[in-house]
Amino acid sequence: MTESSSATAKTSFVSAPDTSLSDQDRLQALQRSGLMDSAPEEVFDRTVSLASRLLKAPVSLLSLVDTERQFFKAQTGLAGSAAEARETPLSHSFCQHVVQQNAPLRMSDARTDPRVKDNLAIRDLNVVAYLGVPVRAPGGEVLGSLCAIMPEPREWTDDDLTNLTDIALLVESEIALRESLVHVEQERTFFRDVIDQLPIGVVIAKVPSAAIVMTNNVGLSLVNEEVSAEKAQDYRGLGAQHHNGARYKPAEYPLVRTVVEGEVVLNEPMLYRRGDGALVEFEVSSRRVGEDQRTAVATFVDVTDRKQAETSANEARAQLLKVLEATSDPILFLKQDWTITYANKAFTKNFAGGRDLSGETVWKAFPGWKGNPLWHAFHDAVENDVMETAELFLEKTNQRYEARAFPSEEDLTVFFRDVTAERQVVETRQLLVRELNHRVKNLFAVVSGMIGMTARHTRTPAEMAKALRGRVSALAQAHELIRPAVTQEEIGQPDVSLQNLVASLIEPHLTHENDQITIEGPAISLGANGSTNLAMVLHELATNAAKYGALSAPQGRLVVRWSVRADVAYLTWTESGGPPVEHEQSTSGFGSTLIDMSVRSQLRGTVDLDWRQEGLVVELCLPLSRLQA
């Protein structure tokens, strides 16, 4: 309704900045309240009736104002078309001034007030004396006005204003309560949506009644039935049973024991007769949750298909713990005050040595994380309410983990994934690109050496061509052995013997007529992985021997011997007669790095390089299982 105050009337009107009726925050709050164009409600009807009685005013309105009209959510004493329509345009509104001023408005005679004397409410609705106070949303936005109206002049007292203000506060409390209930329902819906996305059954019960208040979709699917209100209350209609066929008593259900006794149940087996008659086996875990421990949660998974006969209590317990954790990836739950609320077995094993972390702050449990990328990711996720990722390196185990932090209302969930192998693949690929360049340069050097040495030890061009062609062909054959490893191709070739591998890789470098080479050892069949990785090592040693070692001098000698003991192959590469070795060579060069990576990382073996003055001696210890893989 309209409001104005007499120029001579006594008023408690407080001057305040005008608030635009089209203010978007105010209009959104008005829409959010759901009161515009809604049906009459007793709770609001009582407020205008109370205002009318206390102020002894024939008309009282609860008016909500938008940009074009005022809507009467509640009214008493109003007659005519305005009462029937429950609204008027702003041309008949005094209440718009209460909204604009965000303050009470007190007028003893609107007909003499220059602000509203031309307002049509005076003529059409017989509004003369007006007292109105703001009605605000929980956020402080003015939604409208609670007002009292007289058809004749009246001096409104301070008690009148106080009484009307108190009643308006009751209206505001009702509006705030409704908005809170809407928020609660939204949060409940969100929570239900999240629970329904979990791949395991979830049941939530109240403490201390044990009444089931929620079962997620997966849980209903696992039991193949709806959980009725009766079953949810007394558990008697549910299908859990013992191995002898007897049904569970209500007190035997893990969730009930958790509610009544506070018991924490971990991976307890349960036979269950589903709604379709099938007998399945679940593994059930339950515990109380929340700071007030007023809620109990049970989770269960169907283990029927993967459950195996267990021969000992230790095997049964190991299987139960494995199913309970449900994942081999470490998982961490944090509150936004950084308290650890849950750490799964994989996490405590990999990061905390199996220690229980519940209740500790993450920064106290892991002080080394402060200030590192993980610390920044956690804080950014919480502050910006977005998923953040970071990498963590564990020096003790030489592992790399990718951490993904997902924030929610009050919690932070962090999933860790071991990316060590992925990073090793990337590093290996980078190394192999360098290896390709290295090999090309070496091939040119080897071919150049072949040409020079062959020219010095042949008498005719035809003899030189024949010898050179054979050596280049052998070089190509050796290169074919290492090509799959260099280019990362899938290997489909049959196994090769260690004898043939060594001979094929050394032959291209035998450029002297009196080359002395010994290759001996028991027959060993190499698999695709073993042959390609060992070929990389032997090719590197042969190339270096041809450039700097025993194969670079006519009097040089090379002995390659191997033996097998206890499923381990011991191979020795011994050079002598070449140029003297004046000092130990660097182990940080590309060739040494390649040998070390191939032996230690790929073949899981050991390598020892001894730079003796008479020549290089290399000792390799290689598991047969890796060579034959």
Side-chain angles (χ1 to χ4, degrees):
M1 279 301 298
T2 55
E3 318 93 16
S4 63
S5 61
S6 170
T8 59
K10 203 171 176 185
T11 179
S12 63
F13 175 78
V14 178
S15 178
D18 284 352
T19 300
S20 171
L21 297 181
S22 59
D23 179 78
Q24 289 303 306
D25 290 340
R26 190 189 77 82
L27 292 176
Q28 289 175 5
L30 184 60
Q31 181 182 16
R32 194 165 54 245
S33 72
L35 298 177
M36 286 293 286
D37 299 316
S38 61
E41 297 180 67
E42 183 180 357
V43 64
F44 295 116
D45 291 342
R46 284 200 300 266
T47 61
V48 294
S49 296
L50 178 60
S52 180
R53 289 197 306 274
L54 284 180
L55 274 67
K56 296 181 173 55
V59 178
S60 180
L61 305 173
L62 175 55
S63 176
L64 305 173
V65 181
D66 63 14
T67 58
E68 297 178 353
R69 61 192 172 112
Q70 62 179 1
F71 169 73
F72 304 139
K73 174 61 182 173
Q75 58 180 312
T76 183
L78 191 65
S81 60
E84 183 177 349
R86 299 179 63 209
E87 66 175 35
T88 71
L90 294 183
S91 60
H92 292 67
S93 173
F94 283 15
C95 293
Q96 63 178 309
H97 298 290
V98 176
V99 173
Q100 289 176 322
Q101 295 298 321
N102 191 10
L105 186 61
R106 181 160 49 179
M107 295 183 180
S108 58
D109 191 341
R111 296 170 299 184
T112 63
D113 191 295
R115 292 172 297 175
V116 296
K117 65 180 182 178
D118 296 325
N119 193 290
L120 298 181
I122 299 172
R123 182 194 70 190
D124 297 340
L125 302 178
N126 199 22
V127 177
V128 176
Y130 174 90
L131 178 63
V133 295
V135 174
R136 300 180 178 90
E141 302 88 353
V142 183
L143 305 178
S145 170
L146 177 65
C147 65
I149 297 171
M150 298 290 293
E152 64 276 336
R154 172 174 171 174
E155 293 291 338
W156 302 101
T157 67
D158 289 343
D159 285 344
D160 292 334
L161 179 59
T162 299
N163 288 333
L164 194 61
T165 301
D166 288 344
I167 297 172
L169 291 175
L170 295 176
V171 175
E172 291 177 355
S173 297
E174 176 67 21
I175 294 172
L177 175 61
R178 293 183 178 204
E179 187 164 318
S180 296
L181 292 175
V182 170
H183 289 162
V184 169
E185 182 59 28
Q186 290 174 341
E187 291 177 358
R188 182 181 181 279
T189 300
F190 173 77
F191 174 72
R192 179 59 193 249
D193 290 342
V194 172
I195 293 298
D196 279 338
Q197 293 301 312
L198 296 178
I200 59 176
V202 179
V203 181
I204 301 175
K206 295 188 293 187
V207 177
S209 70
I212 296 174
V213 296
M214 180 183 293
T215 303
N216 72 341
N217 289 337
V218 172
L220 295 176
S221 175
L222 289 175
V223 300
N224 191 240
E225 63 178 328
E226 291 289 338
V227 179
S228 66
E230 182 179 354
K231 291 180 181 180
Q233 289 292 333
D234 62 18
Y235 293 73
R236 297 182 187 278
L238 300 179
Q241 65 179 58
H242 297 284
H243 285 278
N244 62 5
R247 282 185 176 270
Y248 271 36
K249 297 176 182 178
E252 293 178 312
Y253 278 88
L255 185 57
V256 175
R257 302 195 325 254
T258 295
V259 169
V260 175
E261 304 169 13
E263 180 181 353
V264 176
V265 180
L266 300 176
N267 267 12
E268 180 173 301
M270 173 191 289
L271 292 177
Y272 196 94
R273 183 71 65 181
R274 288 161 41 106
D276 59 5
L279 184 65
V280 295
E281 185 170 358
F282 294 145
E283 284 186 352
V284 185
S285 302
S286 63
R287 66 171 61 214
R288 292 186 187 181
V289 298
E291 294 181 356
D292 58 2
Q293 298 286 287
R294 300 291 294 175
T295 303
V297 177
T299 60
F300 60 101
V301 293
D302 186 346
V303 296
T304 307
D305 294 337
R306 59 188 172 88
K307 192 74 174 176
Q308 299 177 348
E310 295 158 349
T311 58
S312 68
N314 288 336
E315 290 176 340
R317 181 175 181 274
Q319 179 65 16
L320 292 174
L321 290 175
K322 178 182 177 181
V323 175
L324 172 67
E325 293 299 332
T327 177
S328 60
D329 290 336
I331 301 174
L332 185 66
F333 294 160
L334 305 172
K335 288 191 173 297
Q336 289 196 4
D337 63 359
W338 308 117
T339 300
I340 298 172
T341 57
Y342 173 76
N344 71 344
K345 179 182 176 181
F347 182 90
T348 57
K349 176 183 177 181
N350 287 282
F351 296 101
R355 181 168 57 91
D356 183 13
L357 302 173
S358 298
E360 289 191 49
T361 63
V362 67
W363 312 125
K364 180 179 179 181
F366 304 100
W369 289 6
K370 287 186 177 180
N372 73 2
L374 208 62
W375 186 91
H376 290 290
F378 286 8
H379 282 78
D380 289 345
V382 171
E383 293 170 6
N384 301 324
D385 194 30
V386 295
M387 186 273 290
E388 293 286 349
T389 63
E391 279 201 11
L392 178 67
F393 178 67
L394 298 183
E395 293 185 4
K396 183 181 294 185
T397 59
N398 200 33
Q399 289 176 290
R400 290 187 181 277
Y401 284 89
E402 179 187 68
R404 291 178 175 266
F406 295 85
S408 59
E409 290 294 328
E410 296 181 357
D411 302 291
L412 187 68
T413 303
V414 187
F415 297 92
F416 293 83
R417 185 170 64 91
D418 189 341
V419 295
T420 307
E422 293 180 15
R423 300 299 181 263
Q424 287 178 343
V425 167
V426 173
E427 292 172 359
T428 301
R429 288 179 184 272
Q430 292 174 344
L431 185 62
L432 291 174
V433 170
R434 294 172 55 199
E435 162 65 3
L436 184 59
N437 292 331
H438 179 68
R439 291 297 170 205
V440 171
K441 291 171 63 177
N442 277 349
L443 285 174
F444 281 121
V446 168
V447 171
S448 177
M450 285 181 181
I451 294 172
M453 297 301 297
T454 304
R456 288 195 295 272
H457 293 85
T458 56
R459 291 181 294 276
T460 67
E463 182 183 355
M464 176 180 174
K466 180 178 179 181
L468 189 60
R469 185 178 296 108
R471 286 165 180 162
V472 171
S473 176
L475 183 65
Q477 181 180 356
H479 178 71
E480 189 66 20
L481 289 173
I482 67 167
R483 179 178 57 81
V486 175
T487 60
Q488 294 287 286
E489 294 178 6
E490 293 293 330
I491 300 172
Q493 61 190 44
D495 293 348
V496 298
S497 70
L498 179 57
Q499 178 83 22
N500 290 339
L501 179 70
V502 174
S504 297
L505 290 168
I506 295 176
E507 182 181 355
H509 305 286
L510 301 179
T511 57
H512 304 287
E513 292 181 348
N514 60 340
D515 278 332
Q516 297 295 317
I517 179 169
T518 301
I519 301 174
E520 57 185 25
I524 297 178
S525 180
L526 303 178
N529 179 68
S531 62
T532 53
N533 283 288
L534 187 57
M536 299 276 283
V537 176
L538 295 174
H539 184 75
E540 184 67 27
L541 294 174
T543 301
N544 288 338
K547 291 168 65 176
Y548 313 113
L551 300 183
S552 68
Q555 68 276 15
R557 179 175 177 79
L558 172 64
V559 178
V560 182
R561 288 193 176 97
W562 62 88
S563 61
V564 177
R565 298 191 302 276
D567 295 327
V568 176
Y570 297 88
L571 185 148
T572 303
W573 172 288
T574 306
E575 297 182 31
S576 61
V581 178
E582 297 181 358
H583 56 80
E584 182 173 331
Q585 302 298 310
S586 171
T587 60
S588 61
F590 180 80
S592 298
T593 300
L594 179 65
I595 292 174
D596 187 77
M597 182 197 72
S598 299
V599 173
R600 299 184 190 278
S601 300
Q602 303 299 328
L603 297 176
R604 302 291 191 271
T606 62
V607 57
D608 180 49
L609 281 72
D610 185 1
W611 299 92
R612 301 176 183 176
Q613 184 175 10
E614 61 270 20
L616 172 65
V617 177
V618 181
E619 294 184 353
L620 302 175
C621 296
L622 306 169
L624 278 179
S625 60
R626 300 296 295 182
L627 286 174
Q628 295 172 344

